[in-house]
Amino acid sequence: MTLKELSFFYKLCENPQVTQVASELNISQSAISLAIKSLENSLNEQLFDRIGKKLILNEKGKYFKEKTYSHYLALVDARTIFQENKLAGNIKIAASKTISNYIMPNIYFDFLSKYKDVKLDILTINSSKIIDKILKSELDIGLIEVNIQNSNLVKEKLSNDELIVVTSDKEYKKESFIDTIDKKWILRELGSGTREIFIAKIGEIAKELDIFMQLQDFEEIKTIVLNNPDTVTAISKVVVKKELEEKKLFEIKLKNLKLQREFYLIYHKDKSKNLLFTTFKNFIKSRF
Protein backbone atom coordinates (compact mmCIF):
# COMPACT_ATOMS: atom_id res chain seq x y z
CA MET A 1 0.00 0.00 0.00
CA THR A 2 1.15 3.57 -0.62
CA LEU A 3 0.73 6.85 1.24
CA LYS A 4 -1.36 8.11 -1.68
CA GLU A 5 -3.77 5.17 -1.36
CA LEU A 6 -4.02 5.71 2.37
CA SER A 7 -4.62 9.44 1.99
CA PHE A 8 -7.54 8.73 -0.37
CA PHE A 9 -8.87 6.15 2.11
CA TYR A 10 -8.91 8.60 5.05
CA LYS A 11 -10.48 11.32 2.89
CA LEU A 12 -13.32 8.96 1.96
CA CYS A 13 -13.74 8.01 5.62
CA GLU A 14 -14.75 11.62 6.24
CA ASN A 15 -16.69 12.16 2.99
CA PRO A 16 -18.19 9.18 1.10
CA GLN A 17 -18.97 11.30 -1.98
CA VAL A 18 -16.27 10.25 -4.49
CA THR A 19 -17.08 13.15 -6.83
CA GLN A 20 -16.59 15.71 -4.07
CA VAL A 21 -13.30 14.17 -2.88
CA ALA A 22 -12.03 14.02 -6.48
CA SER A 23 -12.92 17.68 -6.98
CA GLU A 24 -11.23 18.67 -3.73
CA LEU A 25 -8.03 16.82 -4.65
CA ASN A 26 -8.23 17.93 -8.30
CA ILE A 27 -8.00 14.39 -9.65
CA SER A 28 -10.36 12.08 -11.51
CA GLN A 29 -12.93 9.86 -9.82
CA SER A 30 -11.43 6.84 -11.57
CA ALA A 31 -8.00 7.58 -10.03
CA ILE A 32 -9.54 7.46 -6.56
CA SER A 33 -11.50 4.29 -7.35
CA LEU A 34 -8.39 2.54 -8.69
CA ALA A 35 -6.35 3.57 -5.65
CA ILE A 36 -8.96 2.26 -3.21
CA LYS A 37 -9.27 -0.98 -5.17
CA SER A 38 -5.50 -1.41 -5.04
CA LEU A 39 -5.52 -0.81 -1.28
CA GLU A 40 -8.26 -3.38 -0.76
CA ASN A 41 -6.43 -5.91 -2.93
CA SER A 42 -3.26 -5.48 -0.89
CA LEU A 43 -5.26 -6.14 2.29
CA ASN A 44 -7.40 -8.85 0.67
CA GLU A 45 -10.42 -7.18 2.30
CA GLN A 46 -13.20 -4.85 1.13
CA LEU A 47 -13.15 -1.63 3.16
CA PHE A 48 -16.17 0.13 1.66
CA ASP A 49 -19.70 -0.76 0.63
CA ARG A 50 -20.45 0.62 -2.84
CA ILE A 51 -23.83 2.36 -2.68
CA GLY A 52 -24.57 4.38 -5.79
CA LYS A 53 -21.76 6.89 -6.25
CA LYS A 54 -20.85 6.69 -2.57
CA LEU A 55 -18.20 4.61 -0.82
CA ILE A 56 -19.55 3.87 2.64
CA LEU A 57 -17.02 2.66 5.23
CA ASN A 58 -17.90 -0.86 6.40
CA GLU A 59 -16.93 -2.73 9.59
CA LYS A 60 -13.56 -3.85 8.15
CA GLY A 61 -12.89 -0.30 6.99
CA LYS A 62 -13.70 1.15 10.40
CA TYR A 63 -11.38 -1.34 12.09
CA PHE A 64 -8.58 -0.62 9.59
CA LYS A 65 -8.92 3.12 10.18
CA GLU A 66 -8.87 2.69 13.96
CA LYS A 67 -5.68 0.62 13.85
CA THR A 68 -3.77 2.60 11.24
CA TYR A 69 -4.60 6.30 11.35
CA SER A 70 -2.08 7.31 14.04
CA HIS A 71 0.65 5.44 12.18
CA TYR A 72 -0.32 7.13 8.93
CA LEU A 73 0.04 10.55 10.56
CA ALA A 74 3.48 9.55 11.88
CA LEU A 75 4.53 8.48 8.38
CA VAL A 76 3.37 11.79 6.93
CA ASP A 77 5.41 13.61 9.59
CA ALA A 78 8.44 11.46 8.78
CA ARG A 79 8.15 12.29 5.10
CA THR A 80 8.30 16.02 5.80
CA ILE A 81 10.79 16.06 8.68
CA PHE A 82 13.73 17.06 6.48
CA GLN A 83 11.68 19.77 4.81
CA GLU A 84 10.94 21.37 8.16
CA ASN A 85 14.35 20.81 9.73
CA LYS A 86 16.96 19.80 7.23
CA LEU A 87 19.76 19.95 9.78
CA ALA A 88 18.89 16.62 11.31
CA GLY A 89 20.77 13.36 11.20
CA ASN A 90 24.04 11.70 12.16
CA ILE A 91 27.57 12.55 11.11
CA LYS A 92 30.53 10.26 11.67
CA ILE A 93 33.71 12.24 12.25
CA ALA A 94 37.22 11.34 13.36
CA ALA A 95 40.05 13.68 14.28
CA SER A 96 43.70 13.10 14.99
CA LYS A 97 44.68 13.47 18.63
CA THR A 98 46.09 16.98 18.47
CA ILE A 99 42.97 18.31 16.77
CA SER A 100 40.50 16.16 18.71
CA ASN A 101 41.83 16.84 22.20
CA TYR A 102 42.91 20.47 21.95
CA ILE A 103 40.80 22.13 19.24
CA MET A 104 37.56 20.26 18.54
CA PRO A 105 35.78 19.84 21.93
CA ASN A 106 34.30 23.35 21.95
CA ILE A 107 33.48 23.16 18.23
CA TYR A 108 31.55 19.93 18.74
CA PHE A 109 29.74 21.39 21.75
CA ASP A 110 28.76 24.63 20.02
CA PHE A 111 27.50 22.86 16.89
CA LEU A 112 25.35 20.43 18.87
CA SER A 113 24.02 23.30 20.99
CA LYS A 114 22.96 25.15 17.85
CA TYR A 115 21.47 22.17 15.98
CA LYS A 116 19.47 20.07 18.43
CA ASP A 117 18.50 17.30 15.98
CA VAL A 118 22.05 16.43 14.95
CA LYS A 119 24.06 13.58 16.43
CA LEU A 120 27.83 13.27 16.10
CA ASP A 121 29.64 9.95 16.24
CA ILE A 122 33.13 11.06 17.27
CA LEU A 123 36.37 9.12 17.08
CA THR A 124 39.90 10.08 18.11
CA ILE A 125 42.45 8.09 16.09
CA ASN A 126 45.68 8.81 14.28
CA SER A 127 45.81 10.32 10.80
CA SER A 128 46.66 7.12 8.92
CA LYS A 129 43.64 5.30 10.40
CA ILE A 130 41.38 8.24 9.55
CA ILE A 131 42.51 8.17 5.93
CA ASP A 132 41.87 4.43 5.76
CA LYS A 133 38.35 4.80 7.18
CA ILE A 134 37.49 7.67 4.82
CA LEU A 135 38.61 5.58 1.84
CA LYS A 136 36.38 2.73 3.07
CA SER A 137 33.45 5.19 3.50
CA GLU A 138 33.30 4.41 7.23
CA LEU A 139 33.51 8.12 8.10
CA ASP A 140 31.85 11.26 6.74
CA ILE A 141 34.62 13.69 7.71
CA GLY A 142 38.21 13.32 8.85
CA LEU A 143 40.51 15.91 10.44
CA ILE A 144 44.17 15.08 9.94
CA GLU A 145 47.68 16.46 10.38
CA VAL A 146 49.35 15.10 7.23
CA ASN A 147 49.33 16.32 3.65
CA ILE A 148 47.87 13.31 1.85
CA GLN A 149 47.60 12.95 -1.93
CA ASN A 150 44.89 10.54 -3.07
CA SER A 151 42.58 10.86 -6.05
CA ASN A 152 39.66 9.44 -4.02
CA LEU A 153 39.94 12.10 -1.31
CA VAL A 154 38.91 15.73 -1.19
CA LYS A 155 41.27 17.73 1.01
CA GLU A 156 40.58 21.21 2.40
CA LYS A 157 43.13 23.14 4.44
CA LEU A 158 41.99 24.23 7.90
CA SER A 159 44.98 26.06 9.36
CA ASN A 160 48.72 26.15 9.86
CA ASP A 161 50.35 24.52 12.86
CA GLU A 162 53.87 24.52 14.28
CA LEU A 163 55.72 21.68 15.96
CA ILE A 164 58.22 22.73 18.57
CA VAL A 165 60.85 20.91 20.59
CA VAL A 166 60.41 21.20 24.36
CA THR A 167 62.11 20.06 27.55
CA SER A 168 61.56 20.61 31.27
CA ASP A 169 65.27 21.38 31.69
CA LYS A 170 65.15 25.16 32.15
CA GLU A 171 68.96 25.38 32.13
CA TYR A 172 69.28 23.72 28.72
CA LYS A 173 70.50 25.81 25.76
CA LYS A 174 67.64 27.72 24.21
CA GLU A 175 68.80 27.24 20.62
CA SER A 176 70.37 24.22 18.98
CA PHE A 177 70.81 22.15 15.85
CA ILE A 178 68.51 19.19 16.17
CA ASP A 179 71.28 16.59 15.90
CA THR A 180 73.15 18.16 18.83
CA ILE A 181 70.30 17.85 21.34
CA ASP A 182 71.75 15.30 23.74
CA LYS A 183 68.56 14.12 25.39
CA LYS A 184 66.24 11.12 25.16
CA TRP A 185 63.49 11.64 22.59
CA ILE A 186 59.90 10.80 23.54
CA LEU A 187 57.79 10.60 20.38
CA ARG A 188 54.28 9.71 19.25
CA GLU A 189 53.58 6.24 17.84
CA LEU A 190 54.05 5.24 14.21
CA GLY A 191 51.14 6.44 12.06
CA SER A 192 50.54 9.65 13.99
CA GLY A 193 50.59 12.87 11.98
CA THR A 194 52.84 14.60 14.51
CA ARG A 195 55.50 11.92 14.25
CA GLU A 196 55.32 11.60 10.45
CA ILE A 197 55.70 15.35 9.93
CA PHE A 198 58.59 15.54 12.39
CA ILE A 199 60.49 12.62 10.84
CA ALA A 200 59.89 13.92 7.32
CA LYS A 201 61.13 17.41 8.21
CA ILE A 202 64.39 16.30 9.83
CA GLY A 203 65.22 13.81 7.05
CA GLU A 204 68.35 11.69 7.50
CA ILE A 205 68.92 13.06 10.99
CA ALA A 206 66.02 10.85 12.16
CA LYS A 207 68.31 7.80 11.99
CA GLU A 208 70.60 9.35 14.59
CA LEU A 209 67.96 10.30 17.16
CA ASP A 210 67.91 8.52 20.49
CA ILE A 211 64.21 7.57 20.42
CA PHE A 212 63.78 6.33 23.96
CA MET A 213 59.99 5.88 24.10
CA GLN A 214 57.01 5.94 21.73
CA LEU A 215 53.60 6.72 23.20
CA GLN A 216 50.06 7.13 21.89
CA ASP A 217 48.89 9.96 24.09
CA PHE A 218 50.15 13.54 24.34
CA GLU A 219 49.37 13.73 28.04
CA GLU A 220 51.57 10.68 28.66
CA ILE A 221 54.37 12.31 26.69
CA LYS A 222 54.00 15.58 28.59
CA THR A 223 54.07 13.71 31.93
CA ILE A 224 57.32 11.97 31.00
CA VAL A 225 58.98 15.17 29.78
CA LEU A 226 57.75 17.24 32.73
CA ASN A 227 59.13 14.74 35.24
CA ASN A 228 62.40 13.94 33.45
CA PRO A 229 64.64 16.86 32.47
CA ASP A 230 66.85 14.53 30.44
CA THR A 231 64.03 14.00 27.92
CA VAL A 232 62.74 16.02 24.98
CA THR A 233 59.86 15.81 22.54
CA ALA A 234 58.56 17.36 19.32
CA ILE A 235 54.97 18.42 19.86
CA SER A 236 52.34 20.81 18.56
CA LYS A 237 52.61 24.24 20.13
CA VAL A 238 48.88 24.20 20.89
CA VAL A 239 49.32 21.08 23.05
CA VAL A 240 51.87 22.66 25.41
CA LYS A 241 50.58 26.25 25.39
CA LYS A 242 49.69 26.15 29.08
CA GLU A 243 52.95 24.52 30.18
CA LEU A 244 54.98 27.09 28.23
CA GLU A 245 53.07 29.98 29.81
CA GLU A 246 53.55 28.49 33.28
CA LYS A 247 57.25 27.92 32.55
CA LYS A 248 57.05 24.22 33.23
CA LEU A 249 58.29 23.41 29.74
CA PHE A 250 60.80 25.32 27.67
CA GLU A 251 61.17 25.52 23.91
CA ILE A 252 64.48 24.66 22.26
CA LYS A 253 64.66 26.79 19.11
CA LEU A 254 65.97 24.82 16.16
CA LYS A 255 68.69 26.33 13.99
CA ASN A 256 67.97 26.29 10.25
CA LEU A 257 64.79 24.25 10.71
CA LYS A 258 61.09 25.10 10.90
CA LEU A 259 58.65 22.32 11.76
CA GLN A 260 55.61 23.82 10.04
CA ARG A 261 52.61 21.73 9.02
CA GLU A 262 48.94 22.13 8.13
CA PHE A 263 45.70 20.71 9.48
CA TYR A 264 43.32 19.34 6.84
CA LEU A 265 39.67 18.35 6.58
CA ILE A 266 39.15 15.36 4.28
CA TYR A 267 36.21 13.38 2.90
CA HIS A 268 35.59 10.87 0.12
CA LYS A 269 35.16 12.39 -3.33
CA ASP A 270 31.88 10.47 -3.74
CA LYS A 271 30.47 11.65 -0.42
CA SER A 272 26.90 13.01 -0.65
CA LYS A 273 27.15 16.73 0.13
CA ASN A 274 23.76 17.35 1.73
CA LEU A 275 22.89 20.43 3.74
CA LEU A 276 23.89 18.88 7.08
CA PHE A 277 27.29 17.78 5.77
CA THR A 278 27.99 21.15 4.14
CA THR A 279 26.84 23.16 7.17
CA PHE A 280 28.97 21.10 9.57
CA LYS A 281 32.02 21.26 7.29
CA ASN A 282 31.73 25.04 6.93
CA PHE A 283 31.18 25.42 10.69
CA ILE A 284 34.43 23.58 11.41
CA LYS A 285 36.36 25.64 8.86
CA SER A 286 35.01 28.93 10.23
CA ARG A 287 36.12 28.02 13.76
CA PHE A 288 39.66 27.14 12.71
Side-chain angles (χ1 to χ4, degrees):
M1 64 187 73
T2 67
L3 284 177
K4 181 179 288 187
E5 292 170 356
L6 290 170
S7 69
F8 292 166
F9 169 77
Y10 297 119
K11 281 286 186 182
L12 289 167
C13 289
E14 303 303 321
N15 183 357
Q17 295 284 356
V18 178
T19 54
Q20 292 179 11
V21 172
S23 177
E24 180 186 340
L25 298 176
N26 196 28
I27 60 174
S28 68
Q29 295 179 47
S30 61
I32 292 180
S33 297
L34 288 171
I36 295 300
K37 192 64 180 175
S38 174
L39 175 60
E40 290 177 327
N41 288 339
S42 68
L43 294 169
N44 200 27
E45 289 287 353
Q46 190 170 312
L47 303 174
F48 294 93
D49 293 330
R50 273 73 174 170
I51 302 175
K53 292 185 177 181
K54 294 181 180 180
L55 291 180
I56 307 297
L57 201 63
N58 63 24
E59 290 74 14
K60 293 286 187 181
K62 291 174 184 176
Y63 184 72
F64 180 74
K65 179 187 177 185
E66 177 188 343
K67 291 294 184 181
T68 63
Y69 189 56
S70 62
H71 301 291
Y72 165 77
L73 293 177
L75 285 171
V76 171
D77 286 343
R79 188 175 61 176
T80 61
I81 187 171
F82 293 111
Q83 297 170 6
E84 297 168 356
N85 182 5
K86 291 186 178 181
L87 285 179
N90 287 30
I91 289 186
K92 293 181 179 179
I93 181 170
S96 63
K97 292 186 179 180
T98 303
I99 300 172
S100 182
N101 294 343
Y102 300 95
I103 299 175
M104 288 305 296
N106 285 332
I107 297 177
Y108 292 142
F109 179 83
D110 291 345
F111 189 81
L112 291 173
S113 297
K114 186 173 183 179
Y115 301 107
K116 308 293 186 182
D117 294 319
V118 174
K119 286 187 65 178
L120 299 179
D121 297 327
I122 301 168
L123 284 177
T124 301
I125 51 179
N126 67 41
S127 294
S128 62
K129 290 180 180 177
I130 292 172
I131 293 165
D132 182 60
K133 284 183 175 292
I134 290 286
L135 291 172
K136 292 177 179 176
S137 297
E138 295 175 359
L139 292 171
D140 298 309
I141 290 175
L143 306 176
I144 62 173
E145 307 164 18
V146 295
N147 189 355
I148 183 70
Q149 302 296 329
N150 189 299
S151 60
N152 289 314
L153 295 178
V154 178
K155 177 184 67 178
E156 299 184 19
K157 182 179 174 180
L158 291 171
S159 68
N160 293 316
D161 184 43
E162 181 183 3
L163 298 182
I164 61 172
V165 175
V166 295
T167 180
S168 59
D169 182 359
K170 63 181 180 180
E171 304 299 330
Y172 197 73
K173 50 194 172 185
K174 297 299 181 277
E175 189 174 3
S176 176
F177 289 106
I178 196 162
D179 55 348
T180 64
I181 297 175
D182 53 345
K183 291 184 179 292
K184 298 171 182 174
W185 285 88
I186 314 297
L187 296 182
R188 286 286 309 282
E189 84 282 11
L190 291 169
S192 77
T194 298
R195 183 197 177 102
E196 289 186 9
I197 291 293
F198 175 63
I199 296 300
K201 290 284 187 182
I202 65 177
E204 290 297 314
I205 297 172
K207 298 176 183 178
E208 304 172 18
L209 290 187
D210 176 15
I211 301 177
F212 186 73
M213 290 182 71
Q214 303 175 66
L215 298 169
Q216 292 186 351
D217 190 84
F218 285 120
E219 294 304 316
E220 293 174 341
I221 291 174
K222 285 198 292 185
T223 297
I224 295 291
V225 176
L226 283 166
N227 294 326
N228 297 275
D230 62 333
T231 62
V232 69
T233 191
I235 200 166
S236 174
K237 199 167 189 175
V238 70
V239 174
V240 291
K241 183 172 183 276
K242 180 181 177 182
E243 287 78 10
L244 291 171
E245 291 173 349
E246 294 176 350
K247 299 190 182 306
K248 294 178 179 178
L249 290 176
F250 305 91
E251 180 181 358
I252 302 173
K253 297 284 188 180
L254 299 178
K255 295 181 179 179
N256 301 325
L257 183 62
K258 283 285 187 182
L259 300 178
Q260 301 286 346
R261 65 172 175 181
E262 294 79 34
F263 292 147
Y264 293 99
L265 182 151
I266 62 170
Y267 52 93
H268 199 284
K269 67 178 180 63
D270 296 326
K271 168 67 187 166
S272 173
K273 300 167 188 65
N274 56 43
L275 182 61
L276 173 56
F277 173 85
T278 303
T279 302
F280 185 49
K281 178 173 73 74
N282 291 339
F283 188 88
I284 292 172
K285 292 180 70 174
S286 70
R287 292 292 295 270
F288 267 77

